[in-house]
Amino acid sequence: MANINISLHSKVHKWIDAIGFRLNGSQTNHKDNVTTNHYFFETFNFFEKAKNNDLKNSKFLCFDAYGEKINVRSLLDLQTAFFENISQL
């Protein structure tokens, strides 16, 4: 299962670099050792959480055009939410 998560992490970061997402902010909760990165492009935002800076524990979260939370399980989930959001501009 770890290979799937690392692969997802790699795919997501390759895609966001190609699109031109920017890192808006990064916060670390030192008590739980969880780092949260906030990325954005135009009106679309998403979050990445990693515990102990371990990529196999990275979780991605974004929101659809209606503000509903989407737990990203594949690159397609993120891309779908992104293009729905951008098409509403």
Side-chain angles (χ1 to χ4, degrees), residues 43 65 80-89:
T43 62
T80 300
F82 172 73
F83 288 115
E84 283 180 9
N85 180 283
I86 294 298
S87 70
Q88 305 248 341
L89 291 179

Side-chain angles (χ1 to χ4, degrees), residues 9-50:
H9 181 270
S10 175
K11 287 178 184 177
V12 166
H13 278 272
K14 185 180 273 188
W15 181 73
I16 66 174
D17 288 344
I19 295 292
F21 276 82
R22 294 192 180 128
L23 178 63
N24 189 41
S26 182
Q27 294 181 329
T28 301
N29 179 335
H30 295 289
K31 181 180 176 186
D32 297 332
N33 208 15
V34 174
T35 301
T36 303
N37 294 322
H38 173 224
Y39 297 93
F40 75 97
F41 180 84
E42 300 291 333
T43 62
F44 185 76
N45 297 276
F46 78 94
F47 299 92
E48 174 187 20
K49 284 188 175 185

Side-chain angles (χ1 to χ4, degrees), residues 41-82:
F41 180 84
E42 300 291 333
T43 62
F44 185 76
N45 297 276
F46 78 94
F47 299 92
E48 174 187 20
K49 284 188 175 185
K51 186 169 181 119
N52 298 321
N53 289 325
D54 189 4
L55 300 180
K56 71 180 180 182
N57 290 325
S58 286
K59 304 289 182 199
F60 296 93
L61 172 73
C62 67
F63 300 91
D64 67 10
Y66 304 103
E68 296 293 321
K69 183 171 80 168
I70 298 172
N71 289 318
V72 177
R73 302 198 190 290
S74 71
L75 179 58
L76 184 60
D77 291 343
L78 186 62
Q79 289 172 329
T80 300
F82 172 73

